[in-house]
Amino acid sequence: PRQIPVDEFLGGVVEAAGGRPVRVCVLEGIVDHTNVGAIFRSAAALNVDGILVSPTCCDPLYRRSARVSMGTVFQVPWAQIGASPADWPENGIAQLHALGFRTAAMALSDRSVSIDDAVLAAEPRLAIVLGTEGDGLAPSTIAACDHTVKIPMSHGVDSLNVAAASAVAFWQLGRR
């Protein structure tokens, strides 16, 4: 399909929302097609308005992604953010900010706030940024985001698989 420019894509997402809070997801460097498909499926089920795929992320239309998503890659609006890896994160996050979006990096750091922080829920336009399996988000991405967000864990577990984390984030941050 024709790649829609990010400003046109997000303008359409905001317009379709009709004044309610908008939630989009940004995928950075996710290389497992199964995870991409599962993220799309969770996005469709849990009130995410659209997905932006960085140039370092695998193709959502790859057959494994489409199959795992149960076809939701054809239902959830999505576009690529940046034409090359050099465009992400600096230019991509600047573009999100210019279009009125605040950004939430899903990452473990000393400055992370809990996913149930009231400030996050109150954001009228929020882009939830998810990183690659294993390494997570690049430090430059985390530094450029407005919020750094963690999912509180029990029993000494430090993190979830990116697809599982997306479902938790979408549920908590996508409530309407």
Side-chain angles (χ1 to χ4, degrees):
R2 176 180 83 83
Q3 286 295 311
I4 300 170
V6 172
D7 56 346
E8 182 182 329
F9 173 78
L10 289 175
V13 166
V14 169
E15 184 178 324
R20 68 167 165 69
V22 176
R23 299 297 183 253
V24 296
C25 174
V26 181
L27 305 181
E28 176 184 280
I30 298 178
V31 296
D32 185 301
H33 293 95
T34 301
N35 284 334
V36 169
I39 291 167
F40 268 82
R41 188 172 179 184
S42 293
L46 300 170
N47 298 317
V48 172
D49 298 293
I51 294 180
L52 294 167
V53 178
S54 76
T56 57
C57 186
C58 65
D59 183 0
L61 296 180
Y62 186 79
R63 64 187 171 126
R64 177 92 174 135
S65 298
R67 187 174 68 184
V68 170
S69 80
M70 298 295 290
T72 58
V73 297
F74 305 109
Q75 177 184 348
V76 175
W78 68 276
Q80 185 168 324
I81 187 163
S84 74
D87 292 332
W88 181 262
E90 187 175 331
N91 294 341
I93 291 179
Q95 192 171 22
L96 287 166
H97 287 151
L99 295 168
F101 280 82
R102 302 282 286 172
T103 50
M106 296 299 297
L108 300 172
S109 80
D110 293 339
R111 67 176 219 172
S112 294
V113 298
S114 178
I115 196 165
D116 59 2
D117 189 299
V119 172
L120 295 169
E123 293 287 3
R125 295 182 185 174
L126 185 65
I128 304 161
V129 186
L130 298 167
T132 187
E133 303 85 349
D135 293 334
L137 291 170
S140 58
T141 302
I142 297 167
C145 285
D146 300 300
H147 306 281
T148 305
V149 182
K150 66 181 173 186
I151 299 168
M153 301 286 180
S154 300
H155 305 294
V157 175
D158 65 347
S159 67
L160 296 173
N161 164 279
V162 67
S166 75
V168 173
F170 299 163
W171 168 255
Q172 182 65 34
L173 300 173
R175 293 183 189 194
R176 301 207 169 117

